[in-house]
Amino acid sequence: MEFLLENILNLIGFLVGLAIGIMSLIGFRNTGSPTLFRLTLAFFSISAGFFVIWAGYMVEDFVIKSGNIERWIQTVGIVIQTVGYFFIAFSHSIKSFFPKSNYFRSVGFIPLFLVSSVQLEHIFRSVSFILLVYGAIETMLSYFENKNKGAISVSVGLAFLALGEFLGWYSFMFPDSLLYPASMIIKIAGLIALFIPVSKVPLTKIKFDEGLEDDELDDKLK
Amino acid sequence: MAEYRTHMKIIGDILATTRDDLQDEDGATVTYLIRKANISHSRISRILKTLVSQGLLERNGSQGSNKYKISQNGREFLQAYYSFTNFADNFGLSI
């Protein structure tokens, strides 16, 4: 049951991350926006992280057949996902602080780390949790500013992912309980909520602009 | 409190003015665009030069004064800009 849920979660995470990443990349290629570039990095990282864990489970299931995924594969996947969550939080920190504060412009964004001494995986789960909570709160605050209903769905999605990370991290204290399967179901719900507003963006007439060379994009970013 | 506008938003405002809010068929003057986009002359000059060089705006010189009009590429760019502004809004971000 747990194994099946892990596979479903990681496959959905890979596909949703890839879809949003591709959409962000198309946006970056069309507009040259640095925000869309950061979203591209974020969602390709999240997608790659889920893919690594999914591939690990597939290899374990069909090749190694030991009954347990290699711990280091899971850790690598989580680290890559954390990089993606960092870029989402980083984009919010730029929007919130950089235009207004020279101090934050000079020091950049330094996230608060909740250090755990147990395992590397748990450290990165806790970092992911903080970044996701920050992203969810900032997205919800932006909803109060612009009343864009899609922001509610994304905020709820990020909050579910955060809750899923928290329960996944906490479940190591109760290994045989329902906490871990519950965390995976919540994360699947979070990914679906994340994808709902993005799926409604009209892309019918948007294409990669062949005329925009790299140096022209650089000019736009200035 | 004044709203912070990104460079991209200023470009979007200029292109939208040259598409939807022209003074006449020849296009909009720099003075008109400064008033509509609410930015300084030196800054808008640099932006207009870039937009013309990238083919997003067309410059019509008549009787000693330049007028600016949106090109087909500019219209496509503006459409993409609006779509992805909405996309970024979903994440609580601005492009």
Side-chain angles (χ1 to χ4, degrees), chain A residues 154-171:
Chain A
V154 170
S155 177
V156 168
L158 292 175
F160 274 9
L161 284 175
L163 182 61
E165 281 298 341
F166 177 76
L167 291 179
W169 172 72
Y170 197 62
S171 68

Side-chain angles (χ1 to χ4, degrees), chain B residues 9-10 15 22-25 27 34 40 42-43 46 48 50 61 63 68 70 74 79-81 86 91 94-95:
Chain B
K9 173 126 178 56
I10 292 170
L15 289 175
L22 285 180
Q23 289 163 296
D24 56 52
E25 284 183 3
I34 287 172
S40 68
S42 60
R43 189 160 184 202
R46 283 199 306 272
L48 288 175
T50 308
Q63 297 170 346
Y68 295 88
I70 195 166
Q79 190 190 6
Y81 167 77
N86 187 36
F91 290 91
S94 40
I95 68 171

Side-chain angles (χ1 to χ4, degrees), chain A residues 23-24 27 30-31 33 35 43 92 95 142 148 150-151 154 198 206-207 216 220 222, chain B residues 4 7-8 54 76-77 79-81 83-84 86-95:
Chain A
M23 212 172 275
S24 304
N30 275 275
T31 63
S33 161
T35 303
F43 282 100
H92 280 292
K95 187 194 76 176
S142 81
N148 183 337
V154 170
V198 176
I206 295 170
K207 57 182 173 53
E216 289 174 338
K220 282 183 181 178
K222 285 175 188 172
Chain B
Y4 175 79
H7 185 66
M8 192 65 67
Q54 293 187 357
E76 286 173 11
F77 178 88
Q79 190 190 6
Y81 167 77
S83 293
F84 286 104
N86 187 36
F87 174 78
D89 275 350
N90 288 329
F91 290 91
L93 300 168
S94 40
I95 68 171

Side-chain angles (χ1 to χ4, degrees), chain B residues 15-30:
Chain B
L15 289 175
T17 303
T18 57
R19 187 188 66 176
D20 305 328
D21 205 8
L22 285 180
Q23 289 163 296
D24 56 52
E25 284 183 3
D26 290 338
T29 61
V30 176

